[in-house]
Amino acid sequence: MPATTGRVPVTAIRGVPPRVRARRLALIRGVHTAAWSSIASCVANLLWSGATGRSARRAGAAAVVVVGECLVFAADGFRCPLTALAERAGATSGSVTDIYLPAWSARALPAVRVPLPVLIGWLHGRTLRRGRGGHRAEQGGSRCR
């Protein structure tokens, strides 16, 4: 284990690249990909439920996951906490492009990072202003005949 000064290994300061730990790096990338997939599915759920006017409990749970991810990201200085782990395992960059996604998809992520949550917020705000929470009982009756 190389000596470190703060967060940067001494070997990196001296110009010697850190040893690549392929298994550890693959595990970190796999966890990062799973976390990204989970959060992306929550974003997709929020987009769908907002577009269809169904702001219900499931959308609330998805929102908690997405907001939680944003808070973790912000608390780590707007850098994924797994980035430092990936770099310590020998990745040249621990950025989002290091997850197991097609290159075109990874390149497109920054372009949708801000507009998509804004759109989701607008859709759900519109639904809530109309007073439609997604529950049949709240919409004026049951489906019993």
Side-chain angles (χ1 to χ4, degrees):
M1 190 71 142
T4 61
T5 57
R7 294 181 112 186
V8 181
V10 172
T11 55
I13 294 171
R14 293 182 186 147
V16 178
R19 188 178 92 221
V20 175
R21 295 177 181 90
R23 286 186 182 168
R24 182 179 294 172
L25 191 54
L27 176 64
I28 293 166
R29 287 178 177 166
V31 167
H32 195 220
T33 301
W36 178 87
S37 297
S38 173
I39 295 163
S41 69
C42 288
V43 168
N45 178 284
L46 286 169
L47 185 59
W48 179 256
S49 63
T52 58
R54 299 193 181 274
S55 294
R57 286 185 187 160
R58 189 176 297 161
V64 167
V65 170
V66 173
V67 169
E69 184 267 344
C70 291
L71 292 174
V72 167
F73 188 72
D76 202 43
F78 295 97
R79 184 176 174 176
C80 177
L82 295 176
T83 298
L85 290 175
E87 289 172 347
R88 276 183 277 193
T92 56
S93 166
S95 73
V96 74
T97 58
D98 282 345
I99 63 178
Y100 295 121
L101 287 178
W104 64 266
S105 177
R107 282 192 306 270
L109 288 176
V112 298
R113 187 171 205 132
V114 173
L116 200 53
V118 169
L119 175 62
I120 289 168
W122 179 80
L123 289 170
H124 282 278
R126 179 190 68 175
T127 299
L128 294 173
R129 279 190 304 278
R130 289 181 182 169
R132 291 173 29 202
H135 298 294
R136 292 275 182 209
E138 294 174 3
Q139 293 177 3
S142 68
R143 296 188 53 114
C144 298
R145 294 182 190 182

